[in-house]
């Protein structure tokens, strides 16, 4: 989910480039405050019930922040040293308070073991932080929705508690029964709300716009899912398949966690992805929000099944060697007061609320509420939420949504980030939110050493993806959000001959040194209603009539399939240290995604994935899918995404050719619409013999088979050794290739010692890897021969989609 409109930034500048750097500014943000504590037997009680401005408990803090490593990595940050020291001090103070009063960050993040409904000593104990409430009761099926006999008591910290003993050894509140928190606020009005820490919430699907109910979820051991498989090891580079479970079925309906696990996960594995990123897992009352207007943070979306069903999905993914990331939304809260956390706001001051009061607590573009990240109980709630998903469901990491909105008081609204460092470090920076991110990343990586945590940030804030102890925010990757915007701009506004090779190359490589990016050509953002997928931009209506292999491809289809492969592959190969694809785009899914809403008469017609298109052997969708599978396998075998060796040696505007090296692979992209270059000279680093590792023009990828795969390409030395300016395109060696129009070909260097091994009948591992890449999809996607029955069936099809 983006942070607004018309302000995407194409990755912030590398620190090695000249930067526009102004004078340093000390961020204006609320100071650290002493905590509102939840009283426990092992903690001393304190007089302060809220976060105050007193810093008396901080006088003993001793930290050396004079040599923050982030300054050494990027000298351009020098003028902002005061800012980094200030936010590091704020982080250390907050962490020290948590250590002192809560027993450490990990212990603090176990809030779900105390708050909400938990089993304790033959009873159910329910606790809720609602300091603004005057009276409170627990109601539900178990007491006929009459709370007069289940009144709650409030302590000095605003926490309401009730203990309900078991009846004859059985829980007084049955598993899977409905419950709500009823409280009276200061105007005397009673309201019913879903408990903030509820672990499951459901709605009566037969009633239009029915309110949700909280559900007490405590299945007996026989119904509780037990994980069977360990977490897969962290991959060298994440190749991420972004997916939405609900819309993953081919039929116009909501798919289930178990059906996704059984039917979609094998597709993801077959295409050589190593990570699944799941959207819309946290409960959200409005389906059309894509899961980004969360109402219940600890509850799985009940549309697709139960918590046990989601555990089955994650365990199944782990059994296939797939890691699972969760799209977590801590940037804002649904404005829904009936079903969500916003319902706890009854006009109290900000220190007694989850949210800021006034304009600071409201996002005008998203129509949602904004957390107060300096509040002690908000920190407990959000940090515990992260631990809950890691511990209870075995997620392997997170993609944090809407980070830009958190980083700045202006939330990125109507701000065009240019890369000027003054835009990142000044009065507009929300230091409270930055400190929360630092705490969150410390927690996640302490719980799970090899967690993967990704930030969705369009601003390009420096240091976001550097470790906390260096002065960074601690994320592992940021999404390279400028890349898809560049492709959409080209597809919408430029003819093929106007495409600039230098501009494409610069856009893909313009990212911060030492801060990793996940590159993507299109995600769910580029597929939702009002926009188009890349395939649909390229081929449009001809996708309805021209995707049959039984007829010759039209120029539009031939161009579309060729550029679809090239756009996704150059984005992967040059755009970052990881790669992401949204569900269905790997095979060129047509049209857009349109969730059921008033504007389409609540239709599910476009809220699905048409898997039958790629499964039908006589349709051309299989070619794009096969290439997607092969380019992922190429990284699996050669690990080019992890290589820091990334050199663009040529961006020829006349030839429309880009040549670059990633690792020891040589990539040749010919974007020209017509020109074939025979004997085209390309530079490389290492001398020797090169062969084709991957060829988009191969028959099995819907190409024309113009490049020979059994040809050896021998290098020639260039210029004076050790004098780059005398080399060819600053490369010490070169070789010549055949480069047809609208193709991309990758060459790998053949190790001579391995060639000698093959003569002695020793397994040639590199050659075998390449053969696997070239043949990975030949059986399914090669030159398909049609039977008479299939031809007759094709003739009967009036529409292919």
């Amino acid at each position: 989910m983006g942070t607004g409109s018309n302000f995407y930034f194409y990755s912030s500048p590398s620190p090695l480039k000249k930067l526009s750097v102004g004078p340093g500014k000390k961020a204006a943000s609320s100071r650290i405050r002493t905590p509102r504590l939840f009283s426990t037997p092992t903690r001393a009680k304190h007089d302060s019930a809220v976060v105050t401005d007193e810093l008396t408990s901080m006088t003993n803090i001793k930290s050396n922040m004079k040599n923050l490593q982030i300054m050494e990595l990027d000298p351009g940050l020098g003028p902002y040293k005061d800012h980094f020291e200030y936010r590091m001090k704020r982080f250390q103070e907050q962490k020290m308070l948590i250590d002192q009063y809560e027993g450490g960050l990990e212990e603090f993040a176990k809030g779900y073991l105390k708050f909400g409904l938990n089993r304790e000593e033959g009873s159910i104990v329910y606790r809720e932080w609602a300091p603004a409430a005057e009276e409170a009761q627990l109601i539900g099926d178990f007491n006929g929705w009459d709370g007069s006999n289940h009144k709650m008591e409030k302590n000095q910290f605003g926490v309401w508690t009730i203990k309900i003993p078991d009846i004859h050894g059985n829980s007084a509140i049955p598993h899977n029964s409905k419950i709500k928190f009823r409280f009276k606020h200061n105007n005397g009005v009673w309201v019913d709300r879903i408990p903030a820490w509820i672990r499951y919430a459901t709605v009566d699907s037969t009633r239009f716009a029915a309110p949700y109910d909280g559900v007490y979820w405590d299945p007996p051991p026989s119904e509780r899912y037990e994980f069977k498989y360990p977490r897969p090891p962290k991959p060298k580079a994440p190749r991420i398949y972004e997916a939405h479970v609900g819309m993953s079925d081919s039929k116009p309906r909501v798919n289930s966690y178990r059906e996704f696990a059984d039917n979609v996960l094998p597709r993801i594995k077959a295409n050589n992805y190593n990570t699944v990123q799941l959207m819309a897992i946290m409960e959200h009352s409005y389906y059309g929000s894509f899961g980004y207007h969360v109402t219940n943070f600890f509850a799985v979306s009940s549309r697709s099944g139960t918590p046990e069903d989601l555990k089955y999905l994650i365990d199944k993914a782990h059994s296939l060697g797939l890691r699972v990331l969760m799209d977590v939304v801590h940037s804002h809260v649904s404005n829904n007061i009936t079903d969500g956390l916003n319902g706890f706001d009854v006009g109290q001051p900000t220190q007694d609320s989850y949210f800021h009061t006034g304009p600071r607590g409201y996002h005008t573009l998203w129509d949602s509420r904004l957390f107060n990240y300096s509040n002690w109980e908000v920190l407990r709630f959000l940090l515990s939420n992260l631990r809950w998903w890691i511990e209870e469901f075995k997620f392997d990491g997170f993609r944090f949504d809407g980070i830009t909105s958190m980083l700045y008081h202006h939330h990125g609204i109507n701000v065009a980030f240019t890369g000027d460092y003054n835009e990142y470090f000044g009065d507009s920076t929300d230091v409270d939110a930055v400190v929360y991110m630092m705490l969150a990343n410390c927690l996640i990586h302490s719980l799970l050493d090899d967690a993967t945590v990704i930030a969705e940030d369009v601003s390009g804030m420096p240091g976001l993806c550097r470790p906390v102890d260096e002065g960074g925010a601690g994320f592992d990757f940021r999404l390279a959000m400028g890349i898809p915007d560049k492709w959409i701009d080209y597809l919408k506004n430029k003819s093929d001959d106007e495409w600039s090779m230098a501009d494409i190359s610069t856009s893909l490589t313009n990212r911060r040194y030492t801060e990793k990016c996940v590159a993507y050509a299109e995600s769910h953002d580029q597929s939702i209603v009002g926009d188009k997928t890349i395939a649909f931009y390229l081929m449009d209506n001809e996708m309805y009539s021209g995707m049959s292999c039984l007829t010759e491809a039209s120029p539009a289809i031939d161009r579309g399939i060729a550029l679809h492969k090239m756009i996704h592959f150059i984005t992967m190969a040059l755009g970052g240290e990881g790669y992401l694809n949204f569900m269905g785009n790997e095979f060129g899914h047509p049209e857009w995604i349109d969730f059921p809403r008033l504007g389409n008469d609540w239709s599910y017609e476009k809220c699905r994935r048409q898997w039958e298109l790629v499964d039908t052997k006589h349709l051309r969708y299989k070619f794009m899918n096969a290439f997607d599978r092969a380019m992922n396998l190429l990284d699996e075998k050669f690990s080019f995404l992890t290589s820091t060796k990334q050199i663009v040696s040529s961006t020829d505007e006349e030839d429309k050719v880009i040549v670059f090296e990633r690792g020891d692979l040589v990539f040749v992209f010919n974007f020209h619409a017509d020109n074939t270059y025979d004997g085209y000279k390309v530079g490389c680093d290492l001398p020797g013999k090169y062969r084709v590792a991957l060829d988009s023009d191969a028959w099995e990828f819907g190409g024309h088979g113009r490049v020979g795969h059994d040809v050896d390409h021998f290098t020639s030395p260039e210029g004076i050794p050790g004098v780059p300016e005398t080399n060819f395109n600053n490369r010490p060696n070169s070789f010549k290739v055949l480069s047809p129009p609208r193709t991309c070909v990758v060459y790998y260097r053949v190790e001579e010692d391995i060639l000698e091994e093959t003569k002695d009948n020793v397994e040639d591992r590199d050659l075998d890897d390449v053969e696997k890449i070239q043949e990975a999809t030949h059986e399914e996607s090669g030159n398909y021969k049609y039977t008479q029955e299939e031809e007759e069936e094709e003739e009967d099809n009036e529409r292919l989609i």
Side-chain angles (χ1 to χ4, degrees), residues 498-753:
E498 293 177 317
W499 287 27
S500 167
M501 302 298 100
D503 184 43
I504 291 172
S505 172
T506 300
S507 298
L508 291 172
T509 58
N510 186 20
R511 56 186 182 273
R512 290 186 57 77
Y513 176 64
T514 77
E515 297 195 42
K516 296 178 180 179
C517 285
V518 173
Y520 61 103
E522 50 185 339
S523 68
H524 70 272
D525 278 330
Q526 287 70 43
S527 301
I528 58 178
V529 66
D531 212 331
K532 297 179 180 180
T533 64
I534 285 179
F536 213 38
Y537 267 116
L538 289 167
M539 294 175 276
D540 210 78
N541 287 334
E542 291 209 30
M543 298 190 79
Y544 295 104
S545 58
M547 294 298 282
S548 172
C549 296
L550 300 178
T551 60
E552 185 177 352
S554 69
I557 294 296
D558 194 55
R559 168 185 178 268
I561 292 178
L563 288 179
H564 187 275
K565 292 180 290 186
M566 296 180 72
I567 288 170
H568 285 84
F569 190 35
I570 196 171
T571 297
M572 178 192 198
L574 204 53
E577 291 71 33
Y579 177 69
L580 178 142
N581 168 70
F582 178 65
M583 179 174 63
N585 289 342
E586 69 274 13
F587 64 84
H589 199 287
E591 300 181 335
W592 53 81
I593 301 164
D594 192 2
F595 273 72
R597 56 189 175 87
L598 182 63
N600 63 15
D601 294 327
W602 305 101
S603 170
Y604 286 82
E605 181 60 31
K606 289 185 170 61
C607 189
R608 61 192 179 104
R609 297 286 86 179
Q610 300 182 60
W611 302 111
E612 67 275 9
L613 297 177
V614 70
D615 292 341
T616 303
K617 292 184 177 181
H618 57 266
L619 294 183
R620 290 189 165 91
Y621 294 96
K622 65 178 180 180
F623 296 134
M624 291 176 280
N625 188 69
F627 188 73
D628 177 81
R629 181 185 303 139
M631 68 187 206
N632 281 324
L633 184 58
L634 185 75
D635 179 63
E636 181 71 23
K637 300 304 180 183
F638 290 96
S639 300
F640 61 84
L641 280 174
T642 61
S643 177
T644 57
K645 178 183 177 182
Q646 178 174 293
I647 301 167
V648 179
S649 60
S650 178
T651 53
D652 194 305
E653 301 296 355
E654 182 177 352
D655 293 344
K656 297 296 180 188
V657 174
I658 300 175
V659 180
F660 62 92
E661 293 157 73
R662 191 76 190 267
D664 291 331
L665 297 176
V666 179
F667 297 75
V668 182
F669 282 77
N670 180 357
F671 282 93
H672 203 285
D674 303 303
N675 288 0
T676 295
Y677 304 110
D678 195 359
Y680 196 81
K681 190 175 181 180
V682 299
C684 65
D685 181 19
L686 301 176
K689 181 193 299 183
Y690 286 78
R691 289 179 182 169
V692 172
L694 181 60
D695 169 24
S696 71
D697 196 48
W699 291 108
E700 57 263 36
F701 306 134
H704 301 281
R706 290 165 289 192
V707 176
H709 295 178
D710 56 352
V711 178
D712 291 332
H713 302 269
F714 293 92
T715 61
S716 299
E718 295 288 342
I720 302 172
V723 187
E725 58 269 22
T726 66
N727 297 159
F728 174 73
N729 291 336
N730 290 315
R731 309 310 294 141
N733 294 282
S734 70
F735 59 93
K736 294 181 179 181
V737 301
L738 173 67
S739 181
R742 291 188 179 132
T743 63
C744 47
V745 183
V746 186
Y747 299 88
Y748 76 103
R749 180 172 173 266
V750 180
E751 297 286 352
E752 294 298 332
D753 56 340

Side-chain angles (χ1 to χ4, degrees), residues 356-369:
H356 287 292
T357 56
R360 190 179 178 189
Y362 181 74
H363 197 294
T364 55
L365 285 185
W366 294 346
D367 187 26
S368 55
R369 298 302 306 275

Side-chain angles (χ1 to χ4, degrees), residues 423-468:
E423 297 167 347
Y424 306 120
F425 311 117
D427 294 342
S428 64
T429 308
D430 190 336
V431 176
D432 291 336
V434 174
V435 169
Y436 164 66
M437 294 180 204
M438 296 167 77
L439 291 168
N441 281 307
C442 282
L443 172 69
I444 294 167
H445 288 100
S446 67
L447 294 173
L448 201 59
D449 284 341
D450 61 354
T452 300
V453 191
I454 302 169
E456 187 212 28
D457 170 41
V458 302
S459 74
M461 175 181 272
L464 194 68
C465 298
R466 294 303 304 172
V468 171

Side-chain angles (χ1 to χ4, degrees), residues 69-89:
Q69 191 174 345
I70 197 169
M71 301 293 171
E72 300 173 9
L73 291 171
D74 184 359
L77 294 175
Y80 308 94
K81 184 177 181 181
D82 285 350
H83 170 89
F84 280 94
E85 289 184 348
Y86 173 69
R87 79 182 193 186
M88 178 60 82
K89 179 173 180 287

Side-chain angles (χ1 to χ4, degrees), residues 190-459:
W190 287 85
V191 293
D192 296 348
R193 298 290 184 255
I194 296 176
W197 298 70
I198 200 70
R199 300 173 187 179
Y200 194 45
T202 59
V203 66
D204 184 352
S205 59
T206 65
R207 294 172 53 203
F208 181 77
Y212 274 69
D213 289 300
V215 174
Y216 176 60
W217 192 258
D218 185 24
S222 61
E223 298 177 21
R224 191 172 295 135
Y225 187 84
E226 298 293 338
F227 286 91
K228 304 176 182 65
Y229 300 95
R231 301 177 191 269
K234 188 173 185 176
K236 294 179 180 178
R239 297 188 300 273
I240 302 169
Y241 194 89
E242 184 186 33
H244 186 289
V245 172
M247 58 166 290
S248 64
D249 193 45
S250 59
K251 298 177 182 178
R253 66 180 184 91
V254 178
N255 206 16
S256 73
Y257 297 122
R258 288 183 178 268
E259 289 170 313
F260 180 91
D262 294 338
N263 301 327
V264 182
L265 285 179
R267 293 179 181 274
I268 300 171
K269 178 64 176 179
N271 272 43
N272 297 306
Y273 290 91
N274 55 35
T275 305
V276 183
Q277 181 177 297
L278 295 180
M279 305 170 59
I281 293 299
M282 304 160 87
E283 186 60 86
H284 49 291
S285 61
Y286 178 47
Y287 195 40
S289 74
F290 239 109
Y292 291 115
H293 278 213
V294 175
T295 46
N296 312 110
F297 284 76
F298 288 82
V300 307
S301 177
S302 58
R303 291 181 183 87
S304 294
T306 69
E308 312 313 305
D309 295 332
L310 177 59
K311 293 174 184 177
Y312 172 84
L313 185 163
I314 295 172
D315 204 28
K316 182 68 173 288
H318 287 169
S319 75
L320 296 172
L322 295 168
R323 285 163 59 92
V324 187
L325 307 182
M326 178 178 173
D327 202 344
V328 68
V329 186
H330 283 181
S331 51
H332 65 133
V333 181
S334 171
N335 208 24
N336 182 327
I337 62 172
T338 303
D339 305 322
L341 198 62
N342 190 33
F344 285 78
D345 187 348
V346 289
Q348 66 265 37
T350 189
Q351 66 266 22
D352 288 339
S353 173
Y354 287 99
F355 318 108
H356 287 292
T357 56
R360 190 179 178 189
Y362 181 74
H363 197 294
T364 55
L365 285 185
W366 294 346
D367 187 26
S368 55
R369 298 302 306 275
L370 299 173
F371 283 114
N372 174 6
Y373 299 103
S374 67
N375 191 301
W376 191 262
E377 293 303 329
V378 171
L379 290 177
R380 187 199 307 275
F381 184 82
L382 294 178
L383 293 171
S384 297
N385 190 235
L386 297 173
R387 179 161 192 163
W388 168 254
W389 294 110
I390 290 174
E391 299 283 2
E392 184 71 13
F393 292 91
K394 308 300 181 187
F395 278 98
D396 302 296
F398 301 95
R399 177 263 201 189
F400 275 72
D401 174 71
I403 290 297
T404 309
S405 178
M406 300 171 67
L407 290 172
Y408 309 100
H409 295 299
H410 53 63
H411 311 303
I413 300 175
N414 297 323
V415 176
F417 292 97
T418 65
D420 186 333
Y421 279 19
N422 288 304
E423 297 167 347
Y424 306 120
F425 311 117
D427 294 342
S428 64
T429 308
D430 190 336
V431 176
D432 291 336
V434 174
V435 169
Y436 164 66
M437 294 180 204
M438 296 167 77
L439 291 168
N441 281 307
C442 282
L443 172 69
I444 294 167
H445 288 100
S446 67
L447 294 173
L448 201 59
D449 284 341
D450 61 354
T452 300
V453 191
I454 302 169
E456 187 212 28
D457 170 41
V458 302
S459 74

